[in-house]
Amino acid sequence: MGDGHVVDLKAFSEVQLAAFFKTLKEPAFRAKQFLLRVYTKKAVSIDDITEFSLPLREHLKGISFISSLQTVKRLESTDGTRKYLFALTDGQTVESVLIEDDERLTLCVSSQVGCAMGCRFCLTATGGFKRNLKAHEICDQILSVSRDIEPERKITNIVLMGMGEPLSNYEEVTHALKIMTGWLNISKRRITLSTAGLVPELERLYSDGFRVNPAISLNATTDDLRSIIMPVNRKYNLKTLLSACRRLPIPERRRITFEYVLLKGVNDSPDDAVRLVKLLKGIRAKVNLIPFNEFDGANYKRPSDAAVLEFQEIVAQGHISVFIRKSKGRDILAACGQLKAGY
């Protein structure tokens, strides 16, 4: 830092920013002024940081910059869902999805460019893994969409369910969570983090104090099947994953969400539903059933509405809260499992 190279100020942590300003013989509180202006007041350029003197701003423009995502394309579904394609500074692209549901406005953000998990029902997995997103690139998705919709609307909920496995990018994702719950003033109760089941990182998340809402991508009731459609199960099987879920210090009035993508003739039978009830016994659980969202080249089919309703009924009879997820944005490939940063 401060070695003559042009640096991205947004890429620094608060501690690193304070050290950077120290090299300029500026007080450490400049870091807080910068973060307040960038994340709370959504500044996009050094000129916007009016807390800094004009000479300081002019000097900073010669040695640094503030990065931001470039909106390559924005698509809007017939149901009002919006999908954004963002370009990063290195030319890679990611997608975010804005979903309106009654009073809630939920933004689904990405944590990686691509994904290495290899889940066979997910379009993102077909593109392979490119790289992790930095914390500011994760949060920039929130800032960019906020600029697009404000002042008329405000994002109410964040779900880390976009491209990538959040827990395999642990350090940057947790740094992003600190920014969200701090400078962006988003309640941890309104943030959900989805994982395919990286058990050590899931347990670490809670031991490190990040009490956001967990969502576990389950999708099968036997190890044999889950290992086929979700390779992560070969390392952390159902028993290991669900034992970890039972140990999580979930607040009394909250539950763990289990996501279950229903694949026709694969995991949607009444026997599967019965096994799911048994697997979740003793866990304060909520189940989201997601009828498979088809895409070109997919190896699976969407089950019939009757099969989905029968599955839901069996799980409900097991005294588990179970909902059928509305798959919004399917016509623009913005539904669950359909993101792939390109058109």
Side-chain angles (χ1 to χ4, degrees), residues 69 73-75 81-86 94-99 106-110 133 137-138 140-142 144-145 162-163 332 334 339 341 343:
L69 301 181
K73 199 163 190 178
R74 187 188 81 170
L75 297 179
T81 299
R82 295 182 188 178
K83 182 167 75 166
Y84 297 82
L85 178 67
F86 293 119
V94 292
E95 291 181 335
S96 308
V97 178
L98 186 68
I99 307 159
T106 300
L107 184 65
C108 178
V109 301
S110 296
L133 292 184
E137 293 173 325
I138 297 170
D140 269 352
Q141 296 168 67
I142 303 171
S144 296
V145 175
M163 296 171 61
I332 56 170
L339 300 189
Y343 298 97

Side-chain angles (χ1 to χ4, degrees), residues 121-310:
F121 50 83
C122 181
L123 179 58
T124 307
T126 63
F129 173 75
K130 303 295 192 302
R131 70 169 175 88
N132 287 324
L133 292 184
K134 298 292 187 181
H136 68 280
E137 293 173 325
I138 297 170
C139 293
D140 269 352
Q141 296 168 67
I142 303 171
L143 294 175
S144 296
V145 175
S146 293
R147 291 189 196 102
D148 185 50
I149 65 173
E150 291 179 347
E152 292 83 8
R153 298 297 307 274
K154 183 178 176 63
I155 295 168
T156 61
N157 295 71
I158 300 295
V159 291
L160 285 149
M161 292 184 181
M163 296 171 61
E165 162 57 58
L167 292 183
S168 66
N169 185 17
Y170 187 88
E171 298 298 337
E172 296 298 331
V173 164
T174 52
H175 182 190
L177 289 174
K178 289 178 182 177
I179 295 172
M180 291 179 204
T181 56
W183 297 107
L184 290 175
N185 196 30
I186 301 170
S187 168
K188 60 181 180 294
R189 290 177 173 270
R190 293 184 174 272
I191 301 173
T192 298
L193 184 147
S194 177
T195 178
L198 298 183
V199 170
E201 290 80 6
L202 178 62
E203 294 183 314
R204 182 184 172 192
L205 187 74
Y206 275 76
S207 66
D208 285 349
F210 295 97
R211 302 299 170 87
V212 295
N213 301 309
I216 311 299
S217 188
L218 200 62
N219 308 317
T221 58
T222 67
D223 280 322
D224 285 346
L225 177 58
R226 194 167 190 267
S227 293
I228 291 172
I229 65 174
M230 298 185 68
V232 67
N233 195 74
R234 300 166 197 165
K235 190 168 186 180
Y236 306 112
N237 64 17
L238 285 168
K239 182 178 179 180
T240 301
L241 174 59
L242 295 175
S243 294
C245 290
R246 289 184 171 88
R247 292 193 299 270
L248 290 181
I250 303 296
E252 189 172 339
R253 294 184 180 181
R254 293 160 78 182
R255 293 172 290 181
I256 299 176
T257 298
F258 290 89
E259 309 280 356
Y260 195 97
V261 177
L262 289 162
L263 308 170
K264 183 177 181 179
V266 177
N267 64 354
D268 63 340
S269 71
D271 287 344
D272 284 301
V274 170
R275 281 194 296 268
L276 182 59
V277 170
K278 291 180 180 177
L279 284 174
L280 300 183
K281 186 176 181 180
I283 300 176
R284 287 203 309 278
K286 177 180 80 171
V287 173
N288 278 342
L289 300 178
I290 307 168
F292 179 61
N293 295 303
E294 297 182 15
F295 53 85
D296 287 344
N299 295 318
Y300 303 104
K301 295 293 183 183
R302 185 183 184 89
S304 67
D305 290 345
V308 173
L309 290 170
E310 183 181 15

